[in-house]
Amino acid sequence: PWISANLSDIAQIIMGQSPDSALYNTDGVGMPFLQGCAQFGRHFPETEIYCTVPKKVAPASSILFSVRAPVGEVNRADRDYCIGRGVAAVAPQKADGAYVENYLRFLRPEFDRIAQGSTFGAINSQDFGSMVLRLPSDRVEQETIARVLATLDSAIEQTEALTTKYERIKAGLMQDLLTRGVDEHLALRPKRSEQPSMYTPTELGWIPSGWSIKRLSELTIKIVDGVHHTPQYIDTGIPFVTVRNLTRTDHIDLSNVNYISEKDHISFVRRADPKKGDVLVSKDGTLGVARVVPPDIGKFSIFVSVALLRPNLHECTPELIWLFFESKAFEQQLGKLSAGTGLKHIHLEHFREFQLATPSVLEQERIFEVLQACEHPLKVLRAKLRKLQGCKAGLMRDLLSGATSVEPLLSTRAMVGQS
């Protein structure tokens, strides 16, 4: 049978309290101090602040929970910590600790709701202790559920680590492709230190002989941004793309998009008319996220936070522009172009002034062919990661509510190992 219990009924809750400033030090003397979830992570960093006389202590293996800005981040204490007002420690006494940890993660939407009602995004001790958990009365079943979820956590962590490894490889390759290029056999040219005669000095540094430096205004036939006012949204109609539709995935994501009327769309495309092969780039908020418009996306309009770059195909492929932004090569130039103004926006004049090391169109195509080969394992890993994360979310919902028995799912370990 399953039971319901307040968190305070099954665990000791220790709300953090910052010690007197005179008791802090950065010499490693005393107990490491955690003020908030900014110091959380899968692996704790070395803290720089220590406290000689802590007021509140999170014991090793207790659950660390952020009670302020944002509420709901969860981790496990790998040792004793002095905790400040942004952190609470949960030490389960009448339930399995791993089960409680998972349930606190499962309750994140509820914590978000409570925090939104607070003037500064926090949850107090009374509301925290009153959170209701559902759990099997059998401790062994709690432990079994936690083990199944831990199996998926391990698979997710391993996949994330592999993804990070391949992303580093890709980043290095992009840098090489933009500075060395490839020959007709799709092999990187020798480094300048190996074959200096193959390179020419320019204002952007050394580039392969035969390449040129061109401004983005020379490589495009159109540089515009979208409509400069928020339109009236409707339930169904023409998709209206903003920065969030570029940043959520590695493509233009229309799965959760706002819609506008056909009349507004006709008006908006007089300025910005996205077509196959155009490059969309985020120019506000998260800067420089680039996506090439695919052939099958259908018609849509864009907001002012998105720039549309239409390449001159006689000079430039869409992929060269995409690679310039994807590799973050634009950032150094943006810093110089916007000196003294901060980096909150990429203005259209910045886009026009960006300079690209430009090989022939044929070599640009070869460069992208090499990059695609590197991108393939990344796409496979990202798809696997999404699958595992979806499986974890579904299992948490089913197992922690009691909707699904854990016993038939004990084969998850074998299943994950085969995926």
Side-chain angles (χ1 to χ4, degrees):
W2 282 62
I3 59 174
S4 297
N6 291 339
L7 180 60
S8 59
D9 292 334
I10 61 173
Q12 178 190 14
I13 299 175
I14 305 163
M15 302 296 290
Q17 183 178 357
S18 299
D20 298 333
S21 58
L23 301 175
Y24 293 134
N25 71 87
T26 57
D27 301 323
V29 179
M31 187 177 293
F33 174 69
L34 293 179
Q35 176 60 51
C37 65
Q39 294 156 296
F40 282 19
R42 179 169 284 114
H43 306 291
F44 282 100
E46 287 296 321
T47 181
E48 297 180 355
I49 302 177
Y50 289 77
C51 177
T52 52
V53 185
K55 287 187 176 180
K56 295 295 180 72
V57 175
S61 80
S62 63
I63 302 165
L64 297 170
F65 184 90
S66 65
V67 294
R68 293 187 177 199
V71 173
E73 293 292 328
V74 177
N75 209 330
R76 276 296 186 105
D78 58 343
R79 52 184 168 173
D80 289 352
Y81 283 95
C82 169
I83 52 174
R85 290 182 297 171
V87 182
V90 179
Q93 298 166 323
K94 299 180 181 178
D96 177 67
Y99 181 92
V100 174
E101 180 182 355
N102 276 293
Y103 210 99
L104 290 176
R105 296 181 191 277
F106 177 62
L107 287 175
R108 181 62 184 265
E110 180 63 14
F111 291 128
D112 288 341
R113 184 191 65 78
I114 293 173
Q116 287 169 4
S118 166
T119 55
F120 54 93
I123 185 171
N124 60 43
S125 59
Q126 182 176 351
D127 287 339
F128 188 41
S130 298
M131 295 303 295
V132 177
L133 282 66
R134 290 272 299 157
L135 61 163
S137 56
D138 182 358
R139 184 75 168 255
V140 173
E141 187 173 352
Q142 296 175 26
E143 294 169 356
T144 304
I145 290 172
R147 281 202 309 274
V148 170
L149 295 175
T151 300
L152 279 168
D153 282 335
S154 177
I156 288 170
E157 183 173 354
Q158 291 171 15
T159 307
E160 286 175 338
L162 274 175
T163 302
T164 299
K165 174 183 175 182
Y166 275 96
E167 285 173 343
R168 286 197 296 265
I169 292 172
K170 176 186 170 184
L173 177 61
M174 286 193 294
Q175 176 64 21
D176 286 339
L177 291 171
L178 284 173
T179 55
R180 295 164 58 187
V182 295
D183 61 23
E184 63 273 18
H185 304 296
L186 303 183
L188 282 167
R189 287 190 179 85
K191 296 178 181 179
R192 184 173 67 88
S193 59
E194 300 167 349
Q195 292 286 344
S197 63
M198 297 179 67
Y199 292 85
T200 302
T202 71
E203 56 196 299
L204 293 184
W206 291 83
I207 63 173
S209 301
W211 289 26
S212 59
I213 301 298
K214 293 187 178 181
R215 298 187 189 281
L216 202 47
S217 58
E218 300 175 81
L219 297 173
T220 58
I221 57 176
K222 191 170 195 175
I223 297 178
V224 296
D225 52 18
V227 61
H228 283 224
H229 66 272
T230 303
Q232 179 69 45
Y233 296 135
I234 58 178
D235 292 337
T236 59
I238 307 299
F240 187 69
V241 168
T242 65
V243 169
R244 68 176 185 173
N245 302 110
L246 305 185
T247 56
R248 279 193 303 236
T249 64
D250 57 2
H251 57 276
I252 302 172
D253 181 14
L254 302 183
S255 62
N256 184 20
V257 72
N258 291 317
Y259 295 96
I260 58 173
S261 67
E262 180 78 27
K263 179 180 178 181
D264 279 346
H265 172 69
I266 292 172
S267 174
F268 298 162
V269 295
R270 294 188 186 123
R271 173 181 176 84
D273 56 334
K275 296 179 180 178
K276 175 186 74 172
D278 289 345
V279 183
L280 303 184
V281 185
S282 60
K283 58 188 283 287
D284 296 313
T286 304
L287 303 181
V289 176
R291 303 287 182 250
V292 178
V293 177
D296 56 350
I297 195 171
K299 57 186 179 181
F300 63 93
S301 285
I302 62 174
F303 193 40
V304 63
S305 57
V306 177
L308 182 156
L309 314 180
R310 183 163 295 159
N312 177 349
L313 297 179
H314 297 293
E315 298 283 345
C316 175
T317 62
E319 290 76 21
L320 181 68
I321 298 175
W322 170 83
L323 180 56
F324 172 71
F325 288 99
E326 179 74 6
S327 67
K328 307 300 182 185
F330 77 96
E331 288 182 344
Q332 185 175 4
Q333 294 186 44
L334 179 61
K336 295 177 181 178
L337 291 170
S338 61
T341 63
L343 298 175
K344 297 178 181 178
H345 309 282
I346 306 177
H347 298 290
L348 292 182
E349 58 264 31
H350 296 149
F351 283 105
R352 299 185 186 103
E353 292 298 313
F354 283 141
Q355 294 180 297
L356 280 68
T358 309
S360 68
V361 170
L362 181 60
E363 186 171 352
Q364 292 176 39
E365 292 171 347
R366 292 200 300 258
I367 285 172
F368 188 63
E369 186 177 345
V370 171
L371 191 59
Q372 277 186 308
C374 176
E375 181 76 11
H376 177 71
L378 256 179
K379 288 183 176 179
V380 172
L381 284 169
R382 287 168 180 158
K384 179 179 180 180
L385 185 58
R386 287 193 296 269
K387 180 180 178 181
L388 288 169
Q389 290 169 336
C391 183
K392 169 78 183 294
L395 276 178
M396 286 184 74
R397 182 180 59 250
D398 293 342
L399 292 178
L400 298 178
S401 67
T404 298
S405 171
V406 71
E407 294 303 325
L409 297 175
L410 289 177
S411 60
T412 299
R413 292 187 180 189
M415 181 178 65
V416 169
Q418 297 169 2
S419 62

